[in-house]
Amino acid sequence: MAKVPSAVVAAGGLVGGYGVARWTKKRQLGGAVLAVAGAAAARQWRERAGGPAAGALTAAYVVAFAGSHPLAKRVGAWPAVFGVAGMVGVAAWVVADRRG
């Protein structure tokens, strides 16, 4: 079975986590989606690009999540989430996915 690219997992975790939190009105559930996707992506990053790259991409994932909050005040919630998800997805593709 083909693996889902880590870029899709990471971007999907950011978008999915926000969507679940918003639609269920349960922030903890959205956080769980975010965490599970982040852990799955981090595992793929470590396998494909090594520990230092996985650490940097994981940090980017966390910074994107945190940065989406102040960004949402300027551009709106969904545009902020899609923007940071896109940035993390591109970074993951460049660092880990395009090699495989």
Side-chain angles (χ1 to χ4, degrees):
M1 177 153 81
K3 280 192 171 182
V4 176
S6 69
V8 174
V9 174
L14 288 161
V15 173
Y18 175 69
V20 167
R22 181 169 179 146
W23 290 317
T24 64
K25 301 199 184 330
K26 296 187 185 322
R27 293 179 71 177
Q28 299 87 347
L29 190 55
V33 170
L34 181 80
V36 168
R43 181 176 180 202
Q44 287 181 303
W45 295 330
R46 189 176 61 251
E47 290 172 358
R48 294 178 184 175
L57 288 169
T58 300
Y61 186 80
V62 171
V63 168
F65 167 69
S68 68
H69 292 82
L71 183 60
K73 293 179 181 179
R74 301 184 133 230
V75 300
W78 280 112
V81 170
F82 284 128
V84 299
M87 287 187 282
V88 168
V90 167
W93 182 81
V94 167
V95 173
D97 293 336
R98 74 176 167 162
R99 302 175 208 215

